Structure formats: structure tokens, C-alpha cells
Amino acid sequence: MKSSVPIVTSQNFNQEERAVLIEFRNHIEALIRKDRASIEQFLAPSFQLIHMDGKVQGRNDFINEVMGGVLNYYQSRLVNPQIEINNNIAKMRVDVEFAAMVYGMKGNWTLYSKNIFQKINNKWFFIKWNNS
């Protein structure tokens, strides 16, 4: 099945880097679909989202705002991802372009994201999504 979230890059990724990138893309697709089960599976219990304005939001609040229609994502693409893996921690810098309606404002935004993932029992979990 073709992804609805394109990845725009000229970089070649090794197998583990590609696994992190695909998991993150799957997460963005789940946000667009409002697929609660998929979102919950990828977000670590300690997950933190740091919004563009610096507001820090925990896992449950973030999920509830997505599912409750406060955070609505319609389209996205991932531009120029850069991934560095050290043991079981992956760090990713990526520009996430969204067409969205958030907190009642509809528009197009680019999030200059700095993400952290942790591999636990051979599965990558999303720890921190920093967009500030």
C-alpha cells in the first residue's frame, strides 16, 4: 500500500534508520486517520510533545486532543529527515509539513521537529516531539 505521507529526501538510510523513519511516517498517517490504537502503540508512556509556542503536552492530553477534534491533521509530508542512532536511542531532525486545523486555526504549517525515539524489545517508541 502506498503511503499518503511522502518522504522528501536525497539521503540514503541504513536499515535501522529507515525503520525509525517509517515508524514516524506511520505515526503521522495515524494522526491523519485519527487511529487511536496506532497512536497509542507508538507513543511511549512518557511521551512529550513540545508545541511551536513552547507548550508542553503529555501523551494522554495529546491523544485526547487529536481524538477530540482539537488537533486535526489533513495532509503531511516529511522533508529532509536526518537520523542518528546511538544504541537504543534515535534522534531525528525533520521538517514536517502539515495542512491542519489546530486550536480552531486552519492553515499550512512546517514544524521544524527534533524527535527522540527509544527502542525497547526490538520496537521503536516515540519519546519526544520537539517543535519549538
Side-chain angles (χ1 to χ4, degrees), residues 97-115:
E97 297 176 350
F98 274 120
M101 185 167 69
V102 295
Y103 301 109
M105 295 180 292
K106 191 171 187 175
N108 296 307
W109 288 273
T110 300
L111 305 178
Y112 303 102
S113 298
K114 297 173 287 297
N115 303 332

PDB file of all heavy atoms in Angstrom, residues 97-115:
ATOM      1  N   GLU A  97       5.694  19.042   7.236  1.00  0.00           N
ATOM      2  CA  GLU A  97       4.733  19.985   6.651  1.00  0.00           C
ATOM      3  C   GLU A  97       3.332  19.422   6.856  1.00  0.00           C
ATOM      4  O   GLU A  97       3.070  18.263   6.525  1.00  0.00           O
ATOM      5  CB  GLU A  97       5.023  20.182   5.169  1.00  0.00           C
ATOM      6  CG  GLU A  97       6.386  20.798   4.906  1.00  0.00           C
ATOM      7  CD  GLU A  97       6.714  20.909   3.429  1.00  0.00           C
ATOM      8  OE1 GLU A  97       5.979  20.333   2.594  1.00  0.00           O
ATOM      9  OE2 GLU A  97       7.722  21.567   3.110  1.00  0.00           O
ATOM     10  N   PHE A  98       2.460  20.243   7.409  1.00  0.00           N
ATOM     11  CA  PHE A  98       1.083  19.835   7.695  1.00  0.00           C
ATOM     12  C   PHE A  98       0.087  20.811   7.091  1.00  0.00           C
ATOM     13  O   PHE A  98       0.283  22.027   7.159  1.00  0.00           O
ATOM     14  CB  PHE A  98       0.802  19.853   9.207  1.00  0.00           C
ATOM     15  CG  PHE A  98       1.157  18.610   9.950  1.00  0.00           C
ATOM     16  CD1 PHE A  98       2.085  18.647  10.971  1.00  0.00           C
ATOM     17  CD2 PHE A  98       0.541  17.402   9.659  1.00  0.00           C
ATOM     18  CE1 PHE A  98       2.405  17.507  11.689  1.00  0.00           C
ATOM     19  CE2 PHE A  98       0.851  16.259  10.371  1.00  0.00           C
ATOM     20  CZ  PHE A  98       1.793  16.309  11.392  1.00  0.00           C
ATOM     21  N   ALA A  99      -0.985  20.275   6.528  1.00  0.00           N
ATOM     22  CA  ALA A  99      -2.223  21.020   6.327  1.00  0.00           C
ATOM     23  C   ALA A  99      -3.092  20.565   7.489  1.00  0.00           C
ATOM     24  O   ALA A  99      -3.317  19.364   7.672  1.00  0.00           O
ATOM     25  CB  ALA A  99      -2.868  20.681   4.989  1.00  0.00           C
ATOM     26  N   ALA A 100      -3.541  21.517   8.304  1.00  0.00           N
ATOM     27  CA  ALA A 100      -4.188  21.125   9.551  1.00  0.00           C
ATOM     28  C   ALA A 100      -5.133  22.214  10.048  1.00  0.00           C
ATOM     29  O   ALA A 100      -5.099  23.355   9.575  1.00  0.00           O
ATOM     30  CB  ALA A 100      -3.125  20.855  10.614  1.00  0.00           C
ATOM     31  N   MET A 101      -5.950  21.823  11.026  1.00  0.00           N
ATOM     32  CA  MET A 101      -6.703  22.797  11.803  1.00  0.00           C
ATOM     33  C   MET A 101      -6.401  22.477  13.259  1.00  0.00           C
ATOM     34  O   MET A 101      -6.765  21.409  13.768  1.00  0.00           O
ATOM     35  CB  MET A 101      -8.203  22.748  11.549  1.00  0.00           C
ATOM     36  CG  MET A 101      -8.925  23.872  12.294  1.00  0.00           C
ATOM     37  SD  MET A 101     -10.634  24.135  11.791  1.00  0.00           S
ATOM     38  CE  MET A 101     -11.384  22.648  12.397  1.00  0.00           C
ATOM     39  N   VAL A 102      -5.681  23.390  13.911  1.00  0.00           N
ATOM     40  CA  VAL A 102      -5.288  23.194  15.300  1.00  0.00           C
ATOM     41  C   VAL A 102      -5.784  24.360  16.140  1.00  0.00           C
ATOM     42  O   VAL A 102      -5.629  25.515  15.757  1.00  0.00           O
ATOM     43  CB  VAL A 102      -3.757  23.015  15.430  1.00  0.00           C
ATOM     44  CG1 VAL A 102      -3.312  21.743  14.734  1.00  0.00           C
ATOM     45  CG2 VAL A 102      -3.002  24.187  14.882  1.00  0.00           C
ATOM     46  N   TYR A 103      -6.417  24.014  17.237  1.00  0.00           N
ATOM     47  CA  TYR A 103      -6.960  25.023  18.146  1.00  0.00           C
ATOM     48  C   TYR A 103      -7.806  26.054  17.387  1.00  0.00           C
ATOM     49  O   TYR A 103      -7.748  27.251  17.653  1.00  0.00           O
ATOM     50  CB  TYR A 103      -5.843  25.696  18.948  1.00  0.00           C
ATOM     51  CG  TYR A 103      -5.051  24.702  19.763  1.00  0.00           C
ATOM     52  CD1 TYR A 103      -3.743  24.374  19.433  1.00  0.00           C
ATOM     53  CD2 TYR A 103      -5.632  24.059  20.862  1.00  0.00           C
ATOM     54  CE1 TYR A 103      -3.033  23.443  20.169  1.00  0.00           C
ATOM     55  CE2 TYR A 103      -4.921  23.126  21.598  1.00  0.00           C
ATOM     56  CZ  TYR A 103      -3.630  22.828  21.255  1.00  0.00           C
ATOM     57  OH  TYR A 103      -2.925  21.889  21.988  1.00  0.00           O
ATOM     58  N   GLY A 104      -8.581  25.555  16.392  1.00  0.00           N
ATOM     59  CA  GLY A 104      -9.510  26.405  15.646  1.00  0.00           C
ATOM     60  C   GLY A 104      -8.895  27.187  14.502  1.00  0.00           C
ATOM     61  O   GLY A 104      -9.610  27.892  13.797  1.00  0.00           O
ATOM     62  N   MET A 105      -7.592  27.075  14.289  1.00  0.00           N
ATOM     63  CA  MET A 105      -6.926  27.804  13.203  1.00  0.00           C
ATOM     64  C   MET A 105      -6.571  26.827  12.087  1.00  0.00           C
ATOM     65  O   MET A 105      -5.842  25.855  12.320  1.00  0.00           O
ATOM     66  CB  MET A 105      -5.663  28.503  13.709  1.00  0.00           C
ATOM     67  CG  MET A 105      -5.945  29.599  14.717  1.00  0.00           C
ATOM     68  SD  MET A 105      -4.432  30.404  15.287  1.00  0.00           S
ATOM     69  CE  MET A 105      -3.683  29.083  16.223  1.00  0.00           C
ATOM     70  N   LYS A 106      -7.072  27.107  10.890  1.00  0.00           N
ATOM     71  CA  LYS A 106      -6.799  26.250   9.742  1.00  0.00           C
ATOM     72  C   LYS A 106      -5.675  26.865   8.920  1.00  0.00           C
ATOM     73  O   LYS A 106      -5.642  28.079   8.704  1.00  0.00           O
ATOM     74  CB  LYS A 106      -8.052  26.098   8.890  1.00  0.00           C
ATOM     75  CG  LYS A 106      -7.941  25.036   7.831  1.00  0.00           C
ATOM     76  CD  LYS A 106      -9.280  24.778   7.169  1.00  0.00           C
ATOM     77  CE  LYS A 106      -9.151  23.590   6.232  1.00  0.00           C
ATOM     78  NZ  LYS A 106     -10.426  23.218   5.647  1.00  0.00           N
ATOM     79  N   GLY A 107      -4.744  26.019   8.478  1.00  0.00           N
ATOM     80  CA  GLY A 107      -3.663  26.532   7.656  1.00  0.00           C
ATOM     81  C   GLY A 107      -2.643  25.468   7.341  1.00  0.00           C
ATOM     82  O   GLY A 107      -2.848  24.284   7.584  1.00  0.00           O
ATOM     83  N   ASN A 108      -1.529  25.934   6.795  1.00  0.00           N
ATOM     84  CA  ASN A 108      -0.393  25.073   6.482  1.00  0.00           C
ATOM     85  C   ASN A 108       0.767  25.497   7.361  1.00  0.00           C
ATOM     86  O   ASN A 108       1.073  26.686   7.447  1.00  0.00           O
ATOM     87  CB  ASN A 108      -0.015  25.195   5.007  1.00  0.00           C
ATOM     88  CG  ASN A 108      -1.130  24.697   4.109  1.00  0.00           C
ATOM     89  OD1 ASN A 108      -1.607  23.585   4.266  1.00  0.00           O
ATOM     90  ND2 ASN A 108      -1.553  25.526   3.174  1.00  0.00           N
ATOM     91  N   TRP A 109       1.385  24.522   8.010  1.00  0.00           N
ATOM     92  CA  TRP A 109       2.495  24.793   8.905  1.00  0.00           C
ATOM     93  C   TRP A 109       3.648  23.856   8.594  1.00  0.00           C
ATOM     94  O   TRP A 109       3.436  22.718   8.185  1.00  0.00           O
ATOM     95  CB  TRP A 109       2.096  24.558  10.371  1.00  0.00           C
ATOM     96  CG  TRP A 109       1.178  25.576  10.919  1.00  0.00           C
ATOM     97  CD1 TRP A 109       1.524  26.761  11.498  1.00  0.00           C
ATOM     98  CD2 TRP A 109      -0.256  25.517  10.962  1.00  0.00           C
ATOM     99  NE1 TRP A 109       0.384  27.435  11.890  1.00  0.00           N
ATOM    100  CE2 TRP A 109      -0.710  26.705  11.573  1.00  0.00           C
ATOM    101  CE3 TRP A 109      -1.196  24.588  10.538  1.00  0.00           C
ATOM    102  CZ2 TRP A 109      -2.061  26.966  11.776  1.00  0.00           C
ATOM    103  CZ3 TRP A 109      -2.533  24.856  10.738  1.00  0.00           C
ATOM    104  CH2 TRP A 109      -2.946  26.038  11.353  1.00  0.00           C
ATOM    105  N   THR A 110       4.847  24.340   8.842  1.00  0.00           N
ATOM    106  CA  THR A 110       6.030  23.487   8.829  1.00  0.00           C
ATOM    107  C   THR A 110       6.567  23.439  10.245  1.00  0.00           C
ATOM    108  O   THR A 110       6.876  24.473  10.840  1.00  0.00           O
ATOM    109  CB  THR A 110       7.113  24.026   7.872  1.00  0.00           C
ATOM    110  OG1 THR A 110       6.572  24.073   6.551  1.00  0.00           O
ATOM    111  CG2 THR A 110       8.336  23.127   7.890  1.00  0.00           C
ATOM    112  N   LEU A 111       6.635  22.232  10.769  1.00  0.00           N
ATOM    113  CA  LEU A 111       7.195  22.012  12.102  1.00  0.00           C
ATOM    114  C   LEU A 111       8.653  21.594  11.925  1.00  0.00           C
ATOM    115  O   LEU A 111       8.943  20.614  11.236  1.00  0.00           O
ATOM    116  CB  LEU A 111       6.433  20.901  12.836  1.00  0.00           C
ATOM    117  CG  LEU A 111       4.924  21.081  12.963  1.00  0.00           C
ATOM    118  CD1 LEU A 111       4.310  19.882  13.674  1.00  0.00           C
ATOM    119  CD2 LEU A 111       4.590  22.373  13.675  1.00  0.00           C
ATOM    120  N   TYR A 112       9.549  22.358  12.517  1.00  0.00           N
ATOM    121  CA  TYR A 112      10.972  22.036  12.466  1.00  0.00           C
ATOM    122  C   TYR A 112      11.257  21.127  13.655  1.00  0.00           C
ATOM    123  O   TYR A 112      11.662  21.578  14.721  1.00  0.00           O
ATOM    124  CB  TYR A 112      11.798  23.326  12.466  1.00  0.00           C
ATOM    125  CG  TYR A 112      11.407  24.211  11.302  1.00  0.00           C
ATOM    126  CD1 TYR A 112      10.576  25.316  11.480  1.00  0.00           C
ATOM    127  CD2 TYR A 112      11.827  23.904  10.009  1.00  0.00           C
ATOM    128  CE1 TYR A 112      10.188  26.104  10.405  1.00  0.00           C
ATOM    129  CE2 TYR A 112      11.445  24.694   8.929  1.00  0.00           C
ATOM    130  CZ  TYR A 112      10.622  25.788   9.130  1.00  0.00           C
ATOM    131  OH  TYR A 112      10.235  26.558   8.058  1.00  0.00           O
ATOM    132  N   SER A 113      11.001  19.854  13.442  1.00  0.00           N
ATOM    133  CA  SER A 113      10.949  18.878  14.531  1.00  0.00           C
ATOM    134  C   SER A 113      12.304  18.299  14.887  1.00  0.00           C
ATOM    135  O   SER A 113      13.115  17.980  14.013  1.00  0.00           O
ATOM    136  CB  SER A 113      10.024  17.722  14.143  1.00  0.00           C
ATOM    137  OG  SER A 113       8.712  18.169  13.932  1.00  0.00           O
ATOM    138  N   LYS A 114      12.479  18.147  16.187  1.00  0.00           N
ATOM    139  CA  LYS A 114      13.614  17.434  16.758  1.00  0.00           C
ATOM    140  C   LYS A 114      13.000  16.307  17.592  1.00  0.00           C
ATOM    141  O   LYS A 114      12.428  16.556  18.648  1.00  0.00           O
ATOM    142  CB  LYS A 114      14.473  18.370  17.599  1.00  0.00           C
ATOM    143  CG  LYS A 114      15.096  19.506  16.780  1.00  0.00           C
ATOM    144  CD  LYS A 114      15.816  20.541  17.630  1.00  0.00           C
ATOM    145  CE  LYS A 114      14.924  21.448  18.418  1.00  0.00           C
ATOM    146  NZ  LYS A 114      14.029  22.335  17.710  1.00  0.00           N
ATOM    147  N   ASN A 115      13.103  15.083  17.096  1.00  0.00           N
ATOM    148  CA  ASN A 115      12.411  13.949  17.688  1.00  0.00           C
ATOM    149  C   ASN A 115      13.389  12.992  18.359  1.00  0.00           C
ATOM    150  O   ASN A 115      14.517  12.830  17.902  1.00  0.00           O
ATOM    151  CB  ASN A 115      11.644  13.176  16.615  1.00  0.00           C
ATOM    152  CG  ASN A 115      10.666  14.041  15.867  1.00  0.00           C
ATOM    153  OD1 ASN A 115      10.162  15.019  16.392  1.00  0.00           O
ATOM    154  ND2 ASN A 115      10.386  13.698  14.626  1.00  0.00           N
TER     155      ASN A 115
END
